[in-house]
Amino acid sequence: MVSKRAFYFLFICVLSLHATTMYELSLKNLSTGSDMVVQAKVTAVVKQWNPQKNMIYTYVRMNIRDDLIGDDEDKEIIIKLAGGQIGQTKLFVEGMANYKVGEENMLFLFTDPKNLKAFQTLGMYQGKYELYLDENNVTRVRQSSSGHVKLVSREKGPIEKGNDLTLQEFKTKVLQYIHSAQKERKGE
Amino acid sequence: MKKLVIITILVQILSLSTAAYDFLGVKWPGKNPVVQYWFSEQGCEDVTDEWQYMHESFDVWCDVPSTAIDCQFMGMTEVNQVAKDDVQVLTFAKGNEWELGPNVIAACYIWSNSIKDIVEYDIIFNNKDFNWSSSGHPDKMDIGHIATHEVGHALGMDHSSVPGSVMWPTARLGDIANRVLHPDDSAGISALYPRTNNNNRAPVFVSNPVTDAIAGMKYTYDVNAIDHDGDGITYSLKVHPLNMRIDSLTGNIIWYPKFLDLHISHNVTVLATDEMGKSSEQHFQVTVTDLVVYTIDDTVDIGDTLYYEVFVTPMDEYGVLAGNIELNYNEDQMVILDVDTIGSIISGATSVHNITKDMVKFAFAGAEPFSGEGVLFRIKLLVFNEFCGRALTLPLKTAFFNDGIPVATTKDGTVFMPCGGGYQVDGKVLYSSNNRGVEAASLEIVELNKKVVSNKDGFFAFSDIPHSCLPYTVHTEKDSGDLRDAITAYDASFILRHVVGLHPLTTYDHQKASADANGNDMYTAYDAALILRYILEYDDGTEIGTWKMAPEDTTLKQVTGPMHNVIIKAYLVGDVSGNWRDNLGNTKRSSTPQIASVYKSPFEACDIVVKKDTLKGYKSMVSIKDVSKEVFAGQIELTFNSDKYTVHAVKPGPLLNGFLSMHNVKDDRVLIAYAGTVPITQDGDLMQVELRPVGAFIPGDTSLNSSLIDRCLVNEFKDQQISIKEPLIGARLVSTNITSIYPNPFIHTVAIEYLVKTQQQISLGIYDLRGRLLSMLVQESKKPGLYKVVWNGKTSYGMPISSQIFIVRFQSGKEAKNTKIYKIQ
């Protein structure tokens, strides 16, 4: 009986999977391709129908703790994701990251093309890194694991993701990539 | 059957043991789910054969023999957005249609109504950031490769752990291998939607049986059945007459009925059996007859005569010496010119005929029996022109041979006279009020399924229209849109003036209909209110903005030649003034004089009441000046910084007493509309806009003054006609006048603000409608500045006054102005 339950449990665990094909992004891709790179904490998650009542969006309200490119600390941002469940109706879009109130993340963001006041994560789940404490109480980061997508790789060999770096190491690396890209643009 | 079941079970066992393929956990419901799909018309910018590969991406999944799922193409659609709209579309997104960022290549949106059932999906391909290929280009994404994977998800498949399978979660540019399924994918879809005895569907017959046979002649019937599961079908005869055979693979039935079979109805039952052993039966009877006299459907051109031939099937066995045949016709449809036997199989026999008003009677007799098959005689006839395009039946009434035994069966024929044609039918769709051409109206000749679209002048032309003595129906319609600023508050003022009898809606045809905003055949102030709400972007689901044709269906009587200048009138619900397209281009605009200027004063600090608290906010007055014509209506759109301020109130100014006025706040815009029956003829204040700071109040905050009047209409003249002034110091000190009366109507007290431009004698008194002075509030010389006086609704002697209308008389120097105020209980 127990094993049967366990089987059903495992089976149910894979129910909310969906369908997206996208490029596999390295930490450098994320750092140089984002409009905004922030450390932020989730304060609210709201699911809403659009005014036409034909799309469900999930809006995540976050408070910025650290803004690596700009100077928007303590400000609020809204992350917009397609998908969510309202009542019995559910919309899946594979590759979207999940958010919980209270969790803290490093986020690589671009401005939503249809709502300039909202942002999306670059490469969907790939643009979200969760903060966690290791056994020595050191804060580290790890990419969100909800990426059941078909990844297309542009590069041969392993791709640097920055998983399990300490938060400080991670930020330092991201800033190095950003500054290098800025220098390249200036032709230095 | 057993074999398939065993394979299915093995597949399921393997799936559990190896965990290769996987499922999303949601699936299409039903025993034999049919997954529908549409293609968006806008297609892919990079290739021309994308649809072929998109079709194949569904076919490879649904053609797996052991799966019960079906895919059904529903057609092309204009839909190109992801939405829950019952249209499951595959679309290539361009520009802002793509919202998932630059690195995402394609996505499948899946809707479910519970954990188990998929109810809808859309697949969207990123054509904004990616180039697509259908030939495996090494630097591009292959349509078939990606689409097959995404369709797998749409069917409920998750990623597989088998490298090389379609559902394997990684890919490379230029890959095309996933256009076809890997065995793991086939096993997966079969396990998700297995076909079993419970959901296997029997073949369906799609051919109609041949029920007539002629003794001595070969009988054939090509049986055809289809199997919705894609199974092969075998045919057999369960019940059949002697010697009837069927080809088990092709279904072709062959039989040579004998004379012994004559006049007997023979029962036939055909079996069609699929690969799982499921059968369907088709039952019919074949009746064997002997000689058949028949005609062949024939055609005649306009003005031509037709040799209409009467045939007979082989009569070699019969020893026919003579016969007589009668055939009916309708003298209203044709005229019979002659009957002859030239070139017929009885041309050597003696023959006679008689043509009556509705019948052709023919008889022949010879010395030797006739043989063979062919024409017995022919009728020369002429069909009247007006019957072109119609099938005319010539029924064979009787056909006897020898002394009447055997009796021949007859089959009627028809005459069809094709019409002439190639005619052009053209005309214009014109706007009812001003006869301007209506562009992009869709017109269809219903009977011909011919469609055209009117051009910018409203001109349309149907070409190659066939001759017709019957009427054609031209159905005309136009999508909503193409409003061209035709619907304004000024239209609402028309309705209000109509309601009170000042301006009947009879200026042009359909003016009344255009005023019926909610389509209830009534023209009331409610329609005016709905128009104002429409302008303020409320969605009341009205017909405002809907194009109507008058009539929707235009009848073209006989088209027997070219037809020009067919006029179809159109109007737009909500455009009561009928000025659609008048305000386009430079002609009207450049010749229209400026009739007023609208401007706003700088925002200044003020007290605002929020519940019981009095807080600090900001106010600005939107005013009108230089009024040179009657102003019945107007619209104002004011933009402000919504991050810093919220709209607290929008209060009508004294000029709008008696006006229907509304406002709406949309994000960072304040939309204001007003309409009335008694026009504004003087300068003054229209609206006071009050804002509250989102954060703390900042005295002297000047950033507010960068808020703009973005859009402004006076009557129907666009903002370009109006000089909109940015806040100017002292802009309001343009004249000495009352600037605001608030609240109005009032219950206890009313505050009256007035401006004085130069030092002068001012008097401000309250009068009743009989002209009796109730209270003189101001009567003294005033220096330039802004003043406010409050009236408590009582006479100078402190006597309270009941609810009624009062006149505020404001006199500066020798000039006096009157304004109404209302006291309510």
Side-chain angles (χ1 to χ4, degrees):
Chain A
M1 185 66 185
V2 173
S3 61
K4 204 170 186 179
R5 273 189 187 164
F7 171 78
Y8 282 130
F9 175 74
L10 287 171
F11 192 65
I12 290 165
C13 280
V14 296
L15 288 183
S16 302
L17 302 180
H18 348 290
T20 298
T21 304
M22 61 180 158
Y23 272 147
E24 187 170 16
L25 300 177
S26 65
L27 186 58
K28 183 180 179 184
N29 298 146
L30 290 167
S31 304
T32 57
S34 299
D35 294 338
M36 201 172 188
V37 182
V38 296
Q39 177 187 341
K41 186 171 186 176
V42 179
T43 57
V45 179
V46 179
K47 297 173 175 71
Q48 284 184 350
W49 285 100
N50 66 350
Q52 294 78 31
K53 277 224 125 195
N54 59 18
M55 273 295 288
I56 293 175
Y57 287 104
T58 299
Y59 294 91
V60 183
R61 183 177 295 146
M62 309 189 84
N63 197 268
I64 298 175
R65 296 293 178 86
D66 187 12
D67 183 351
L68 270 62
I69 297 178
D71 194 19
D72 279 337
E73 281 81 1
D74 291 333
K75 288 193 178 169
E76 192 175 80
I77 51 168
I78 302 292
I79 310 291
K80 178 184 156 192
L81 303 88
Q85 180 165 358
I86 298 176
Q88 289 295 304
T89 305
K90 188 170 188 174
L91 171 63
F92 300 137
V93 184
E94 180 176 5
M96 288 296 182
N98 293 318
Y99 293 87
K100 288 178 185 169
V101 173
E103 73 177 20
E104 198 162 346
N105 305 298
M106 284 298 302
L107 298 168
F108 297 86
L109 302 170
F110 69 95
T111 307
D112 186 275
K114 292 184 179 173
N115 180 354
L116 300 182
K117 291 178 181 173
F119 292 90
Q120 293 189 47
T121 48
L122 197 65
M124 301 169 90
Y125 79 95
Q126 298 185 84
K128 179 193 171 198
Y129 285 75
E130 294 165 359
L131 272 57
Y132 69 97
L133 291 176
D134 66 9
E135 61 273 19
N136 300 318
N137 265 348
V138 176
T139 304
R140 294 180 181 275
V141 297
R142 183 183 297 148
Q143 202 167 45
S144 171
S145 59
S146 56
H148 290 271
V149 300
K150 190 172 184 93
L151 290 174
V152 176
S153 60
R154 289 175 289 191
E155 301 162 20
K156 289 181 179 175
I159 291 176
E160 183 200 21
K161 297 284 181 72
N163 279 328
D164 299 320
L165 292 175
T166 66
L167 179 60
Q168 200 48 51
E169 290 168 345
F170 185 81
K171 288 181 178 177
T172 304
K173 219 166 222 319
V174 169
L175 285 170
Q176 282 171 355
Y177 285 132
I178 291 171
H179 292 152
S180 301
Q182 286 170 346
K183 281 182 182 175
E184 278 176 26
R185 277 198 291 274
K186 289 176 184 172
E188 291 177 17
Chain B
M1 183 183 81
K2 277 183 181 174
K3 189 178 170 187
L4 197 65
V5 171
I6 290 167
I7 288 171
T8 306
I9 292 169
L10 279 174
V11 160
Q12 288 173 331
I13 292 170
L14 282 170
S15 71
L16 293 175
S17 59
T18 62
Y21 56 76
D22 205 347
F23 308 133
L24 291 178
V26 290
K27 61 181 287 192
W28 291 92
K31 285 182 177 178
N32 295 96
V34 177
V35 178
Q36 298 176 333
Y37 64 98
W38 283 256
F39 292 151
S40 173
E41 286 173 353
Q42 73 177 17
C44 177
E45 286 180 338
D46 310 321
V47 296
T48 57
D49 55 355
E50 67 271 39
W51 308 132
Q52 176 190 336
Y53 293 97
M54 308 286 263
H55 278 303
E56 287 176 7
S57 68
F58 281 92
D59 291 345
V60 293
W61 288 104
C62 292
D63 286 351
V64 172
S66 48
T67 184
I69 199 159
D70 259 350
C71 301
Q72 184 180 14
F73 177 56
M74 302 300 289
M76 307 302 289
T77 174
E78 293 178 354
V79 173
N80 60 0
Q81 293 281 350
V82 171
K84 190 169 188 308
D85 53 5
D86 296 328
V87 178
Q88 289 149 188
V89 68
L90 279 73
T91 182
F92 286 84
K94 305 172 179 69
N96 274 356
E97 293 163 7
W98 181 258
E99 58 179 344
L100 294 179
N103 297 293
V104 181
I105 300 160
C108 179
Y109 290 62
I110 300 175
W111 295 85
S112 66
N113 61 359
S114 70
I115 285 295
K116 291 182 180 175
D117 294 343
I118 300 175
V119 295
E120 195 171 332
Y121 71 94
D122 294 305
I123 296 175
I124 188 162
F125 300 87
N126 182 352
N127 207 179
K128 176 186 177 188
D129 305 296
F130 289 91
N131 288 321
W132 293 84
S133 158
S134 58
S135 59
H137 189 288
D139 298 324
K140 296 181 179 179
M141 305 310 305
D142 184 76
I143 292 172
H145 184 83
I146 301 298
T148 308
H149 179 90
E150 297 300 331
V151 170
H153 283 307
L155 299 180
M157 297 296 296
D158 196 13
H159 290 146
S160 167
S161 59
V162 175
S165 66
V166 168
M167 300 314 291
W168 176 249
T170 63
R172 286 198 165 276
L173 286 168
D175 272 359
I176 61 168
N178 286 172
R179 290 182 187 175
V180 294
L181 298 193
H182 182 280
D184 178 67
D185 302 309
S186 302
I189 197 71
S190 301
L192 188 57
Y193 303 102
R195 190 148 66 85
T196 66
N197 275 335
N198 286 334
N199 61 11
N200 176 49
R201 289 163 291 185
V204 177
F205 286 93
V206 293
S207 57
N208 293 317
V210 177
T211 56
D212 295 325
I214 299 168
M217 291 187 70
K218 181 181 178 181
Y219 166 91
T220 64
Y221 165 39
D222 281 324
V223 181
N224 194 11
I226 58 171
D227 188 274
H228 289 296
D229 300 317
D231 284 349
I233 298 173
T234 55
Y235 299 95
S236 59
L237 290 169
K238 185 176 178 183
V239 177
H240 60 94
L242 190 65
N243 298 323
M244 182 180 274
R245 299 279 183 271
I246 189 167
D247 186 312
S248 64
L249 296 178
T250 65
N252 180 235
I253 294 177
I254 297 173
W255 183 38
Y256 290 91
K258 306 298 181 189
F259 293 108
L260 291 173
D261 298 315
L262 270 174
H263 307 303
I264 298 173
S265 293
H266 300 270
N267 291 321
V268 180
T269 300
V270 184
L271 286 179
T273 308
D274 70 10
E275 292 174 21
M276 294 188 75
K278 201 153 192 169
S279 296
S280 290
E281 295 184 354
Q282 186 180 52
H283 306 276
F284 56 94
Q285 289 185 323
V286 181
T287 303
V288 180
T289 57
D290 54 4
L291 287 178
V292 174
V293 177
Y294 61 97
T295 63
I296 295 174
D297 291 350
D298 216 333
T299 59
V300 58
D301 289 330
I302 294 174
D304 287 350
T305 54
L306 172 69
Y307 288 100
Y308 188 72
E309 294 173 324
V310 179
F311 293 82
V312 67
T313 53
M315 48 187 175
D316 299 352
E317 306 278 347
Y318 290 92
V320 171
L321 292 171
N324 68 295
I325 290 134
E326 295 176 352
L327 178 143
N328 285 111
Y329 74 98
N330 186 336
E331 66 173 348
D332 293 332
Q333 299 173 339
M334 63 188 78
V335 58
I336 305 296
L337 302 174
D338 195 12
V339 175
D340 65 50
T341 58
I342 297 169
S344 84
I345 59 173
I346 57 166
S347 57
T350 300
S351 65
V352 292
H353 65 266
N354 181 22
I355 302 169
T356 67
K357 69 171 189 174
D358 61 355
M359 187 175 286
V360 175
K361 297 181 177 180
F362 176 82
F364 68 94
E368 297 291 327
F370 305 110
S371 62
E373 172 188 3
V375 175
L376 274 177
F377 63 96
R378 59 183 193 172
I379 304 166
K380 188 178 181 184
L381 58 83
L382 180 67
V383 177
F384 299 137
N385 278 4
E386 61 263 39
F387 292 99
C388 78
R390 294 171 63 181
L392 310 178
T393 304
L394 286 88
L396 280 156
K397 187 181 176 190
T398 55
F400 293 102
F401 291 98
N402 292 343
D403 57 357
I405 301 173
V407 178
T409 298
T410 60
K411 288 186 177 178
D412 300 332
T414 58
V415 173
F416 181 79
M417 185 169 69
C419 294
Y423 302 134
Q424 173 156 320
V425 175
D426 58 52
K428 281 188 171 182
V429 182
L430 299 176
Y431 200 58
S432 187
S433 69
N434 56 16
N435 282 333
R436 291 182 181 272
V438 174
E439 188 178 4
S442 302
L443 301 103
E444 178 183 12
I445 296 183
V446 176
E447 292 80 2
L448 302 175
N449 197 27
K450 266 184 178 275
K451 296 177 183 175
V452 295
V453 175
S454 60
N455 70 10
K456 65 181 173 56
D457 298 320
F459 178 80
F460 64 86
F462 291 100
S463 58
D464 202 24
I465 301 302
H467 174 112
S468 174
C469 298
L470 297 175
Y472 286 129
T473 302
V474 178
H475 179 74
T476 312
E477 61 186 26
K478 182 173 167 63
D479 288 341
S480 294
D482 189 18
L483 304 181
R484 309 194 185 190
D485 289 328
I487 300 170
T488 67
Y490 192 53
D491 297 303
S493 80
F494 266 81
I495 299 174
L496 293 175
R497 282 181 277 162
H498 167 77
V499 169
V500 297
L502 290 172
H503 194 295
L505 298 178
T506 53
T507 310
Y508 64 90
D509 291 343
H510 316 113
Q511 190 177 24
K512 261 190 167 182
S514 68
D516 191 6
N518 55 350
N520 66 347
D521 289 331
M522 294 170 67
Y523 315 99
T524 65
Y526 184 53
D527 295 302
L530 287 174
I531 287 181
L532 287 195
R533 286 176 59 80
Y534 173 83
I535 292 162
L536 298 180
E537 301 179 10
Y538 290 104
D539 183 7
D540 294 318
T542 65
E543 299 218 316
I544 301 168
T546 305
W547 281 90
K548 303 278 187 183
M549 298 297 154
E552 286 183 355
D553 291 321
T554 303
T555 301
L556 305 177
K557 292 184 178 175
Q558 299 178 347
V559 178
T560 54
M563 188 179 284
H564 303 298
N565 299 321
V566 177
I567 300 297
I568 296 168
K569 291 295 182 85
Y571 63 93
L572 185 58
V573 177
D575 180 18
V576 187
S577 69
N579 75 324
W580 177 81
R581 227 177 171 207
D582 274 349
N583 52 5
L584 268 188
N586 295 321
T587 50
K588 182 84 178 181
R589 186 178 297 163
S590 59
S591 61
T592 303
Q594 180 177 319
I595 63 171
S597 299
V598 173
Y599 61 96
K600 72 178 175 62
S601 68
F603 274 93
E604 58 188 37
C606 69
D607 292 333
I608 55 177
V609 178
V610 181
K611 293 184 180 174
K612 292 180 179 176
D613 294 335
T614 299
L615 305 174
K616 277 293 183 187
Y618 310 91
K619 68 176 180 181
S620 171
M621 188 66 75
V622 178
S623 308
I624 190 167
K625 71 165 188 170
D626 303 332
V627 177
S628 59
K629 280 195 170 183
E630 293 177 328
V631 174
F632 283 100
Q635 295 169 216
I636 297 158
E637 186 172 323
L638 192 70
T639 306
F640 65 101
N641 184 344
S642 59
D643 290 337
K644 295 178 68 175
Y645 309 102
T646 59
V647 175
H648 172 67
V650 176
K651 299 170 181 172
L655 281 184
L656 295 188
N657 284 339
F659 271 62
L660 179 62
S661 67
M662 298 181 188
H663 76 276
N664 189 16
V665 180
K666 302 275 283 188
D667 300 326
D668 58 353
R669 297 177 298 145
V670 187
L671 309 173
I672 300 167
Y674 57 92
T677 57
V678 180
I680 297 168
T681 56
Q682 62 183 11
D683 301 356
D685 294 333
L686 294 171
M687 289 278 173
Q688 177 168 294
V689 180
E690 293 181 4
L691 303 180
R692 285 170 57 192
V694 172
F697 174 79
I698 304 170
D701 184 355
T702 56
S703 63
L704 261 173
N705 290 327
S706 62
S707 58
L708 298 172
I709 296 176
D710 268 356
R711 180 177 162 82
C712 169
L713 273 72
V714 175
N715 286 347
E716 297 208 303
F717 298 116
K718 297 184 76 171
D719 45 0
Q720 288 85 347
Q721 283 292 315
I722 313 294
S723 73
I724 303 167
K725 295 193 174 176
E726 283 300 301
L728 296 172
I729 301 301
R732 293 171 62 196
L733 295 177
V734 291
S735 64
T736 300
N737 206 347
I738 290 176
T739 57
S740 83
I741 298 179
Y742 182 79
N744 187 17
F746 70 99
I747 298 174
H748 301 297
T749 60
V750 56
I752 303 166
E753 280 188 354
Y754 59 97
L755 279 165
V756 178
K757 186 179 179 184
T758 56
Q759 180 160 357
Q760 58 194 300
Q761 185 68 23
I762 299 293
S763 67
L764 197 161
I766 308 294
Y767 296 78
D768 67 14
L769 289 178
R770 293 183 179 178
R772 292 177 297 195
L773 176 65
L774 302 175
S775 178
M776 182 58 73
L777 302 177
V778 181
Q779 194 164 31
E780 57 187 317
S781 176
K782 290 282 188 184
K783 291 179 179 176
L786 177 66
Y787 298 91
K788 181 163 87 175
V789 62
V790 176
W791 184 46
N792 58 8
K794 296 177 181 176
T795 66
S796 301
Y797 303 104
M799 298 291 291
I801 305 172
S802 60
S803 304
Q804 57 178 286
I805 301 171
F806 304 99
I807 306 291
V808 179
R809 184 173 176 80
F810 180 81
Q811 188 159 0
S812 57
K814 293 180 180 178
E815 189 177 355
K817 290 171 183 170
N818 297 329
T819 305
K820 288 178 184 174
I821 57 174
Y822 305 83
K823 183 174 190 291
I824 56 176
Q825 290 290 359

